[in-house]
Amino acid sequence: MYLSQLRQHYWELRGLGIELVAAANDTPETNRDLRERYDLPFMILSDENANVAEAYGSLHENDSTRPRISRVSMFIIRPADEGSTIAWEYVGPTSRHRVAPSRLSQEIQTYLGMRHQTVSVIVPSAWQVERVIAGFQDPPFGLYRTPAEINEPGVMVYRDYMRELAMQAHGEVFRLQSSGWTLAAVSPEMEGDIAVGQRYVFTRDEG
């Protein structure tokens, strides 16, 4: 669902001149299937051995008997003519701590020196959250197949996590409203002819 959130904000970020690239500790084949399944417009690079994560300081300090994995992280990288250095970074303490796309957009606009800033938050409907959860029953990314498996602890944790992402969106609306942003518009968020939530657009002038 988080990658789907980034997809919903992709063209907003591209409009700022930013190219969004993801990396995951999966095989190229798995990442390709993921892109196709969720119609993701950005690349997902394969970092199977977490070497890139280690280079960027986001390697998870997990048990040495387990595969090397990365923590959820985001980086704004300056262009090559500015040294390809890190302009802003977020390295989450766990896999559940993710940056809201609106926060990423805010940081990009601040980095670009934009005084008039616009960000948006998509709050998914309860129906959409349950639809996404149900979709993970289907191959090739199904987490459970039978009625008995639906109540396994891992599956229940995943369902809770999906709902946490939805609550994060509500929290982001509150953060913006309480920190000087002006609510400029609210409109249905559509996927085809299906309304999957509401998009809240906020603006502010810095300086």
Side-chain angles (χ1 to χ4, degrees), residues 5 100 102 121-126 129 162-178 197-198 200 202:
Q5 288 180 337
S102 51
V121 181
I122 299 172
V123 177
S125 65
V129 173
M162 289 294 99
R163 291 166 184 145
E164 280 181 18
L165 284 179
M167 290 303 297
Q168 181 192 54
H170 286 281
E172 184 65 2
V173 169
F174 176 79
R175 180 187 76 84
L176 293 167
Q177 287 178 323
S178 60
Q198 297 284 327
Y200 295 75
F202 292 87

Side-chain angles (χ1 to χ4, degrees), residues 177-190:
Q177 287 178 323
S178 60
S179 58
W181 291 78
T182 299
L183 179 61
V186 180
S187 61
E189 180 66 16
M190 307 296 293

Side-chain angles (χ1 to χ4, degrees), residues 23-25 47 49-62 67-75 77 86 89-95 97:
N25 306 131
D47 186 26
N49 297 317
N51 293 328
V52 173
E54 184 174 23
Y56 279 86
S58 60
L59 186 66
H60 195 289
E61 299 296 333
N62 59 327
R68 286 157 52 95
I69 60 174
S70 60
R71 289 180 283 174
V72 175
S73 310
M74 280 193 169
F75 301 90
I77 309 297
I86 297 173
E89 67 180 88
Y90 170 84
V91 179
T94 73
S95 61
H97 290 75

